[in-house]
């Protein structure tokens, strides 16, 4: 069993991150080869070769940052994979690219104005990668002694010896650490890291030196080399949050609890301005990067003329996300006016759009999609 490659086990574990299974959760990218030609079945995408190739060209424009002030419109009949292409584009941009999905009719909710709903959607789609240095202790557990009181209460005192290849140190344990150690089942021979600021203990795996200790080890046991150098290290930690989360945390008395309560309401523009200034400051200091995400607006013909004028303005902002819209209408009235226009979108906004059209799937392609979903 010791011959199992520990890297492989690590990868398998990470694939099943907690993701809700939705209609498009099988899509991992656009499935294009290096020449941007669509492979017939790849990365969960089937068929739609022309549309996927067009999306690939737009994607390379995005990566070369040549798409400022433009939006993408995916037009086609219902059920022709418009959302799938938008998902594929978001996935191809990178794992931590924020992807916000919005239906055109959702903007007309009673709780907040249309522009506020759109602003929140825009800010949800702009990620910020924040870098910070953390001090950690990383080493192999040599022994753990926990003194258990005779009266059956929780243990409050213990000692743990950690070592690297070069040094060995004994640490005193408090009640909280002891609880974590017991909960995680950490024993001698495990390699752990302790975050000094939060006291969080993470188990990396068992030491290779102990791989012969027991015959009966499950296949999920990971073996790790004993760390080298000093026990205390500095490590760079990267978090990705989106601007809307920062807005919410700063605009409410109960702070980040509002994120879970879902009660965000309208956020004052002063709060947003302060946050934008702070983020700009972080960027200059090199503490943070901006990750423009993807905002996908489905049924865009449901928006009215005020929303379109807001979009026109918002697309020009320097940190605007990539806006992808989808519609299945032909020539129809722009909502809120008597003018007719293609897709119900004003002509000045249409001029800024790169339009991808999708074709209906053939029976064979639908069959393939169902096969992939069934798997």
């Amino acid at each position: 069993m010791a011959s199992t490659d520990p890297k492989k086990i690590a990868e398998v574990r990470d694939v099943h991150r907690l993701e809700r299974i939705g209609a498009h959760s099988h899509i991992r990218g656009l499935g294009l080869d290096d020449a941007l030609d669509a492979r017939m079945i790849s990365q969960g995408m089937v068929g739609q070769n022309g549309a996927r190739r067009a999306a690939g060209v737009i994607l390379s424009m995005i990566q070369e940052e040549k798409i400022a002030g433009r939006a993408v419109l995916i037009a086609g009949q219902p059920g022709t994979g418009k959302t799938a292409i938008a998902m594929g584009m978001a996935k191809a941009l990178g794992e931590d690219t924020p992807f916000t999905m919005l239906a055109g009719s959702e903007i007309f909710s009673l709780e907040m104005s249309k522009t506020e709903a759109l602003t929140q959607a825009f800010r949800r789609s702009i990620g910020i990668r924040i870098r910070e240095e953390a001090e950690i202790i990383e080493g192999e557990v040599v022994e753990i002694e926990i003194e258990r009181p005779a009266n059956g209460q929780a243990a409050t005192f213990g000692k743990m010896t950690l070592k690297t290849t070069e040094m060995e140190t004994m640490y005193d344990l408090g009640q909280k650490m002891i609880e974590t150690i017991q909960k995680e089942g950490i024993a001698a021979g495990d390699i752990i890291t302790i975050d000094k600021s939060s006291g969080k203990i993470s188990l990396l795996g068992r030491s290779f030196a102990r791989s012969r200790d027991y015959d009966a080890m499950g296949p999920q046991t990971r073996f790790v080399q004993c760390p080298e150098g000093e026990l205390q290290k500095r490590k760079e930690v990267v978090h990705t949050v989106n601007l809307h989360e920062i807005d919410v945390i700063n605009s409410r008395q109960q702070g980040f609890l509002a994120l879970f309560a879902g009660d965000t309401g309208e956020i004052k523009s002063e709060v947003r301005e302060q946050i934008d200034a702070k983020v700009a400051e972080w960027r200059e200091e090199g503490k943070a990067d901006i990750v423009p995400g993807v905002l996908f607006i489905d049924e865009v013909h449901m928006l009215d003329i005020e929303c379109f004028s807001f979009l026109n303005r918002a697309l020009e902002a320097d940190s605007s996300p990539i806006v992808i819209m989808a519609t299945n209408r032909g020539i129809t009235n722009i909502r809120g006016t008597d003018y007719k226009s293609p897709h119900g979108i004003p002509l000045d906004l249409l001029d800024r759009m790169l339009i991808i059209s999708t074709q209906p799937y053939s029976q064979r392609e639908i069959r393939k999609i169902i096969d992939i979903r069934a798997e």
Side-chain angles (χ1 to χ4, degrees):
M1 206 48 252
S3 66
T4 315
D5 182 3
K7 276 205 217 59
K8 279 212 177 114
I9 296 173
E11 279 171 6
V12 175
R13 275 239 189 102
D14 297 343
V15 172
H16 299 283
R17 279 217 329 281
L18 191 71
E19 280 195 359
R20 286 226 321 268
I21 298 289
H24 300 94
S25 48
H26 58 289
I27 289 171
R28 299 185 307 283
L30 285 168
L32 304 173
D33 57 22
D34 296 341
L36 292 184
D37 285 325
R39 299 193 203 94
M40 184 58 207
I41 298 164
S42 173
Q43 292 186 326
M45 295 289 257
V46 178
Q48 291 299 355
N49 294 0
R52 275 158 60 198
R53 183 184 159 83
V57 173
I58 292 171
L59 203 69
S60 50
M61 283 171 67
I62 292 169
Q63 280 156 347
E64 290 167 23
E65 298 181 355
K66 290 184 178 164
I67 195 164
R70 295 192 160 231
V72 181
L73 176 67
I74 306 177
Q77 296 169 21
T80 52
K82 299 189 287 289
T83 316
I85 288 177
M87 279 296 275
M89 287 175 82
K91 284 283 195 300
L93 282 171
E95 204 37 58
D96 54 358
T97 305
F99 179 73
T100 312
M101 211 167 144
L102 191 75
S105 46
E106 278 177 46
I107 287 170
F108 302 95
S109 71
L110 300 171
E111 285 139 32
M112 48 181 146
S113 64
K114 296 174 282 199
T115 48
E116 173 68 19
L118 278 169
T119 308
Q120 287 194 11
F122 262 80
R123 290 178 76 89
R124 265 200 193 99
S125 317
I126 301 168
I128 296 178
R129 228 182 256 129
I130 301 170
R131 290 190 216 85
E132 58 179 7
E133 281 204 338
E135 290 219 339
I136 60 164
I137 300 171
E138 182 176 64
E140 179 183 329
V141 180
V142 183
E143 62 173 342
I144 299 176
E145 293 173 20
I146 294 173
E147 292 179 15
R148 291 201 169 77
N151 57 8
Q153 287 177 333
T156 54
F157 183 72
K159 284 184 160 58
M160 175 165 69
T161 312
L162 284 180
K163 68 164 190 175
T164 61
T165 48
E166 291 165 27
M167 58 189 286
E168 190 168 308
T169 315
M170 186 183 266
Y171 292 98
D172 285 339
L173 300 174
Q175 186 173 349
K176 216 169 155 196
M177 298 281 266
I178 292 175
E179 279 173 21
T180 314
I181 286 172
Q182 289 172 338
K183 200 168 100 196
E184 296 275 338
I186 291 169
D190 286 339
I191 289 173
I192 61 171
T193 61
I194 305 173
D195 185 341
K196 281 183 76 173
S197 55
S198 65
K200 183 168 166 270
I201 301 181
S202 331
L203 181 61
L204 298 182
R206 281 191 73 73
S207 167
F208 268 118
R210 300 292 188 109
S211 62
R212 299 273 177 275
D213 279 11
Y214 307 107
D215 295 339
M217 287 233 185
Q220 66 275 24
T221 310
R222 276 174 68 182
F223 289 108
V224 197
Q225 290 289 1
C226 182
E228 294 170 3
E230 297 207 4
L231 275 161
Q232 295 201 23
K233 297 185 174 74
R234 293 186 79 84
K235 189 177 175 190
E236 195 172 72
V237 186
V238 179
H239 309 281
T240 306
V241 290
N242 61 46
L243 274 178
H244 177 65
E245 288 168 354
I246 302 180
D247 292 348
V248 172
I249 290 168
N250 287 297
S251 70
R252 291 270 160 212
Q253 286 78 28
Q254 74 264 38
F256 79 109
L257 290 174
L259 281 177
F260 302 110
D263 157 45
T264 52
E266 300 220 358
I267 291 169
K268 296 190 185 73
S269 57
E270 298 87 60
V271 173
R272 290 198 166 124
E273 280 162 19
Q274 286 169 358
I275 288 168
D276 288 345
K278 192 78 198 152
V279 169
E281 199 179 295
W282 284 348
R283 280 179 73 182
E284 278 173 19
E285 291 169 11
K287 273 188 201 164
D289 293 330
I290 285 194
V291 188
V294 174
L295 170 59
F296 178 63
I297 306 177
D298 209 352
E299 305 168 14
V300 75
H301 50 263
M302 296 299 292
L303 300 189
D304 60 11
I305 190 80
E306 289 143 27
C307 295
F308 285 127
S309 53
F310 173 85
L311 278 179
N312 237 343
R313 180 80 195 78
L315 284 175
E316 288 179 353
D318 47 359
S319 62
S320 149
I322 294 123
V323 181
I324 302 180
M325 308 181 194
T327 174
N328 49 27
R329 294 283 165 93
I331 291 181
T332 175
N333 276 351
I334 303 173
R335 188 168 170 176
T337 66
D338 303 331
Y339 296 110
K340 281 199 179 325
S341 80
H343 314 300
I345 298 174
L347 294 174
D348 57 340
L349 188 57
L350 267 181
D351 286 346
R352 311 187 142 196
M353 298 228 187
L354 303 160
I355 300 180
I356 302 175
S357 60
T358 55
Q359 304 305 323
Y361 286 116
S362 67
Q363 273 188 334
R364 274 182 53 206
E365 289 169 347
I366 291 174
R367 172 72 212 266
K368 278 276 35 122
I369 295 171
I370 295 173
D371 284 351
I372 293 174
R373 291 293 298 148
E375 264 174 47

